[in-house]
Amino acid sequence: MESPAIPVPLDPQEQPILERLLRTRDALLLLKQDKSSYIKSRDVLPLYEEVISEVEKLNSVRKEQDRRLIHNRLDYVLDDCFQLISLLFLTVGRNNEAPAVYTLATTVQRLLDHLEEAGFYSNKDLDSITKTLAGMRETLDRGRDTYSPALLTLLESRLEQCQISLERLQKGLAVLDPELVKTHETLVSILRSTSAVNTRSKFSASEVNHLRDQLRKIEAHMKDGNFVGKDGRILAGQEELKKLMERCWRWTEIVLERQGKIDERFQDQYENLLDIRNQLDRISVTQAWSLRETDLFGYQRRLDRVDESRVNGNFVDAEGQPADLHAQRTLLYLIRRSYAYIYALLISSEPVSEALLPVYNQLQTLRRCLIEVKESGGVSNSRELYPYSMKLNSIDNMRVDGKFYVGPDIPEGQGVSTLCSQSATTLFGSYGLL
């Protein structure tokens, strides 16, 4: 779980805290790995309380010693515990409670750091993160009377760091004239698309050449080497866009030259990251039916360890020699893409317990089918809707006293499932069937 380079706690008062947290982490990992039954809130909450108790003790020790900034093995184990608890809260459907925020906050920070390091991103990237941060703040505000101040202080600090990084990136885009925004987004897309082609199992030179054709079209609209507006004026943000254009040309040249083959010194790292990216890609396709949020922990940790193994931002080989530009950009692209998949999976997680997901997914599918029927012109007679009506009734009959039970338990997400059922019922009503 940890790198051998991580120092052990120097303060003897921290050692017993570390030992207790290691036991708690083991319990959390066992809970995560147990696929024999659904995870329940009552399984998670006692472990959450154990972690919070140790955090409060640690805060007391470090306040006395004035050693808040020291980062040792205890901090890494504590981070593991919070990540696992956060993912477990998502798994049981408690998405809108403070502990669930932790894993999303750390993923957002990773994404922002990588966007800043890469030096290219679009307003669309930042708009999504802005909305996500606002939602996380609302979650913290709702939890002020429920959750420990130690947890809330930690999460507020994480969100503040994210906000500072976000504002720094927003300033980088503020220099662009509004008329250049679309061109800028196209150039960002070309860079990312080139990297995607570069990491496919079968390299396609024609795709890269098509992207170069797009660059030529953009250049064709320039006048005297400048980007100009509709009124002929030279637009603000010229230098930034020209640098991005040069970067696109250079990257497409390198990718065509290398034909998707990476320096063999970094082949193992490449295959590891490619495997992570491909697995996350498959999960994103089947997410609604197959994702257990705790499964993301393993991918997060594998990515974190690769990311943290860099020296001064560079990947290095066994002899400490840095990677060339092609290997460096290829590996960083795979890391960034994988974090982006994790981010997308986290923000699309529904506030429904995994125990209720089969029912919820059936209701969602039924609702989408009814919407498609309505948008395609409706039905000629009510009989065409009978199969949908029978399915809705069979799901509705599963409820006891208005609640969905799984064994003796009432899983989280009752309100969302009921709302989805009501929405489907309303669609039937619009046909006069109910």
Side-chain angles (χ1 to χ4, degrees):
M1 293 296 295
E2 291 87 34
S3 161
I6 300 171
V8 298
L10 295 176
D11 191 327
Q13 295 182 77
E14 291 189 11
Q15 191 59 40
I17 297 175
L18 171 60
E19 291 171 0
R20 288 191 292 269
L21 282 174
L22 283 169
R23 288 195 292 270
T24 302
R25 186 182 68 178
D26 288 344
L28 288 164
L29 287 169
L30 286 172
L31 184 59
K32 162 188 138 20
Q33 292 162 2
D34 183 7
K35 300 294 179 73
S36 63
S37 62
Y38 296 117
I39 298 174
K40 308 169 190 66
S41 291
R42 65 172 180 268
D43 301 325
V44 181
L45 291 176
L47 296 171
Y48 161 76
E49 294 295 344
E50 287 180 20
V51 173
I52 290 299
S53 174
E54 298 308 318
V55 169
E56 290 171 349
K57 293 171 187 173
L58 180 62
N59 287 345
S60 177
V61 168
R62 290 188 172 177
K63 185 175 182 181
E64 291 175 5
Q65 301 295 328
D66 193 25
R67 295 169 56 239
R68 290 177 180 271
L69 299 180
I70 289 179
H71 210 66
N72 57 43
R73 189 178 181 223
L74 173 54
D75 297 281
Y76 279 86
V77 173
L78 184 58
D79 181 53
D80 283 347
C81 290
F82 273 125
Q83 291 280 8
L84 286 163
I85 285 169
S86 186
L87 291 167
L88 285 164
F89 264 70
L90 293 175
T91 302
V92 300
R94 303 179 75 151
N95 302 41
N96 299 319
E97 298 185 34
V101 167
Y102 187 90
T103 192
L104 187 52
T106 57
T107 302
V108 166
Q109 187 63 64
R110 291 273 184 180
L111 271 180
L112 290 169
D113 290 343
H114 275 282
L115 289 176
E116 186 169 14
E117 180 184 24
F120 65 92
Y121 48 89
S122 69
N123 277 313
K124 292 178 181 178
D125 299 321
L126 304 189
D127 288 346
S128 172
I129 292 174
T130 300
K131 182 179 178 182
T132 299
L133 284 176
M136 288 192 284
R137 287 194 196 90
E138 289 177 6
T139 299
L140 293 194
D141 288 340
R142 284 196 302 272
R144 294 202 181 280
D145 297 329
T146 308
Y147 289 97
S148 164
L151 173 68
L152 295 174
T153 300
L154 172 64
L155 293 174
E156 285 168 352
S157 174
R158 292 293 176 103
L159 294 191
E160 182 60 28
Q161 291 172 19
C162 290
Q163 187 63 39
I164 291 171
S165 297
L166 176 62
E167 290 174 0
R168 195 160 53 238
L169 293 176
Q170 289 171 331
K171 286 180 182 178
L173 293 181
V175 300
L176 293 176
D177 187 284
E179 287 189 51
L180 285 182
V181 170
K182 187 174 180 180
T183 302
H184 178 266
E185 289 179 350
T186 300
L187 291 175
V188 169
S189 176
I190 288 172
L191 271 175
R192 290 176 176 169
S193 298
T194 304
S195 294
V197 174
N198 180 51
T199 56
R200 289 202 188 124
S201 57
K202 188 174 181 180
F203 181 78
S204 173
S206 62
E207 286 189 59
V208 181
N209 283 320
H210 176 67
L211 294 169
R212 287 170 70 84
D213 288 340
Q214 291 185 45
L215 291 174
R216 292 187 186 96
K217 288 179 182 178
I218 293 173
E219 282 190 338
H221 286 88
M222 298 173 71
K223 291 184 179 179
D224 299 325
N226 292 313
F227 293 95
V228 296
K230 295 175 182 177
D231 56 2
R233 65 187 173 87
I234 295 177
L235 301 173
Q238 291 286 314
E239 294 307 313
E240 287 74 11
L241 218 58
K242 288 177 184 177
K243 287 177 183 176
L244 194 56
M245 174 78 82
E246 290 173 8
R247 190 169 178 180
C248 287
W249 279 117
R250 180 62 182 139
W251 184 227
T252 54
E253 287 172 5
I254 292 173
V255 169
L256 281 172
E257 180 185 326
R258 299 297 289 267
Q259 297 283 302
K261 295 177 182 176
I262 198 166
D263 186 331
E264 18 178 84
R265 294 178 301 155
F266 299 92
Q267 187 67 34
D268 289 344
Q269 288 168 297
Y270 173 72
E271 290 178 358
N272 178 33
L273 289 171
L274 193 63
D275 178 60
I276 295 171
R277 194 277 307 268
N278 291 343
Q279 288 190 47
L280 289 169
D281 181 41
R282 285 192 290 272
I283 290 173
S284 69
V285 174
T286 60
Q287 172 198 2
W289 301 94
S290 64
L291 177 66
R292 192 185 210 186
E293 284 83 354
T294 50
D295 293 339
L296 295 176
F297 178 77
Y299 297 111
Q300 287 175 323
R301 280 297 170 257
R302 286 172 67 188
L303 284 172
D304 293 348
R305 297 305 175 247
V306 174
D307 201 13
E308 292 162 5
S309 71
R310 294 190 286 153
V311 179
N312 297 323
N314 295 312
F315 289 96
V316 296
D317 62 16
E319 297 178 357
Q321 296 302 309
D324 61 18
L325 185 60
H326 176 262
Q328 181 78 7
R329 286 191 180 178
T330 300
L331 296 174
L332 283 175
Y333 164 76
L334 289 172
I335 290 178
R336 283 195 292 270
R337 185 64 178 152
S338 297
Y339 278 128
Y341 271 126
I342 290 174
Y343 169 75
L345 289 167
L346 289 172
I347 63 173
S348 58
S349 173
E350 298 287 356
V352 177
S353 167
E354 63 170 347
L356 267 190
L357 272 180
V359 173
Y360 177 74
N361 288 332
Q362 289 179 61
L363 285 168
Q364 283 282 69
T365 302
L366 179 60
R367 181 175 175 274
R368 281 194 294 267
C369 288
L370 288 168
I371 290 173
E372 287 178 14
V373 168
K374 187 173 183 179
E375 290 179 348
S376 63
V379 295
S380 55
N381 60 73
S382 60
R383 286 192 175 186
E384 295 179 29
L385 289 173
Y386 283 170
Y388 304 109
S389 178
M390 290 173 64
K391 182 62 178 177
L392 180 60
N393 286 333
S394 70
I395 294 174
D396 206 36
N397 289 336
M398 294 169 62
R399 293 195 287 182
V400 178
D401 296 329
K403 295 183 176 63
F404 291 100
Y405 281 78
V406 176
D409 300 308
I410 304 176
E412 303 284 344
Q414 297 286 325
V416 177
S417 298
T418 301
L419 186 62
C420 191
S421 177
Q422 289 172 346
S423 177
T425 302
T426 300
L427 284 168
F428 278 115
S430 67
Y431 289 111
L433 188 63
L434 298 176

